Amino acid sequence: MILRFRLDATEEQVEELVQRLEGAGCRTRRSPEPGRAIVALLDRPPAALAAELARHPLVEEVVAPKGDLRLVHRSFHEQPTVVRAGGLEIGGPGVVVIAGPCSVEGRDFMDEVAGHCARAGAHMLRGGAYKPRTSPYSFQGFGVEGLAQLKDAGERHGLPVVSEIMDGAHLPAFLDHDVDCLQIGARNMQNFTLLKAVAAAGRPVLLKRGLAGTVEEWLYSAEYLCAFGCPQVILCERGIRTYEPATRNTLDLTILPLLRELTHLPVIVDPAHAVGVARFIPPLARAAVAAGADGITVEVHPRPEEARSDGPQALLPGELAGLVADLRVLAAVGGRGLAD
Ligand code: PEP
Ligand code: MN
């Protein structure tokens, strides 16, 4: 339940009602949005108080979003949330490009790829140090050493970094290495213990959609992050598993305009893990930006045949540069530009 106060409600009046709700055992959250006071009720108020709220003179509207969503819902925060990660704004006027290898593969390699990404115009460097692999025999990532290599390369080339975290026990390593944005991978979208642990760390989170996650389940996972202390959440569509085996997954762009209505959180698109084939990525990335995505994330490798993971879906550096140029044009068509 979300209370949207009248514009003329004073701070004291709002605070008094909030204190009454809290006193009745109903936890509240105040929207950070300036202007009208908006308060989300995390718990159900006692019946008499709920009835009073419905006709309260200070409350213009009581919104009951479908399901149990509160903090991620558009009625809690009318303006788009801008996520700030290492100086980069995601969800602001500029469309962002996140690029880098699937896995961190070594110090020199990271320096080389980060240089390519920066020169191509990417805004953030990605790279997995802890890899969620289907087979236990596949490369599992360099772990904490990979985080160090990623961060160093990002710093050398002026790019903030994002990397996947699979275990709350690894949080100190991510914070020690100042990873700017923590990625929750598709396979962990509903790992609620991980979501709670990561939320408490106070870093921005890039939350991928689960392989079979519905929009509602995905938003509940984002709600977990917000409820447990992290309002800086980026949603990332990365393809879902459907009946169609012709491509790795099915990229669901249909949800982009829907999410704009449902949530204030920024939404980016990962066409690489959806389609799995490098040459199909540029058209899908262009479609994502044309459909209003706040950014894309793609994988890049100068020698894809040598990649330790996801080589077939890695763009060559020159292909990334061409894609960034196209996205600049498409972002402008949508009345935006690329981020600086
Ligand atoms: C990745 O980004 O490298 C990754 C494993 O993605 P996903 O969780 O979407 O499969
Ligand atoms: Mn990958």
Side-chain angles (χ1 to χ4, degrees), residues 88-90 93-97 121-123 294 328 331 336-340:
L88 177 66
E89 290 192 345
I90 301 142
V95 170
V96 302
V97 176
H123 305 99
D294 293 298
R328 195 176 298 284
R336 303 173 77 169
L338 291 189
D340 296 332

Side-chain angles (χ1 to χ4, degrees), residues 57-80:
L58 295 175
V59 177
E60 188 163 291
E61 196 185 359
V62 179
V63 186
K66 187 171 154 280
D68 219 17
L69 297 175
R70 293 165 175 76
L71 307 177
V72 303
H73 198 266
R74 193 93 215 193
S75 56
F76 183 64
H77 201 293
E78 284 161 19
Q79 297 305 314

Side-chain angles (χ1 to χ4, degrees), residues 195-221:
L195 292 172
K196 289 182 201 174
V198 166
R203 288 269 147 149
V205 174
L206 191 161
L207 176 65
K208 289 196 149 191
R209 183 179 183 181
L211 276 70
T214 65
V215 164
E216 197 175 34
E217 289 162 345
W218 188 17
L219 289 175
Y220 279 130
S221 294

Side-chain angles (χ1 to χ4, degrees), residues 176-193:
D176 283 353
H177 289 94
D178 198 21
V179 175
D180 299 285
C181 183
L182 307 180
Q183 179 170 316
I184 303 276
R187 289 153 194 80
N188 277 314
M189 184 194 86
Q190 288 192 307
N191 182 339
F192 301 117
T193 311

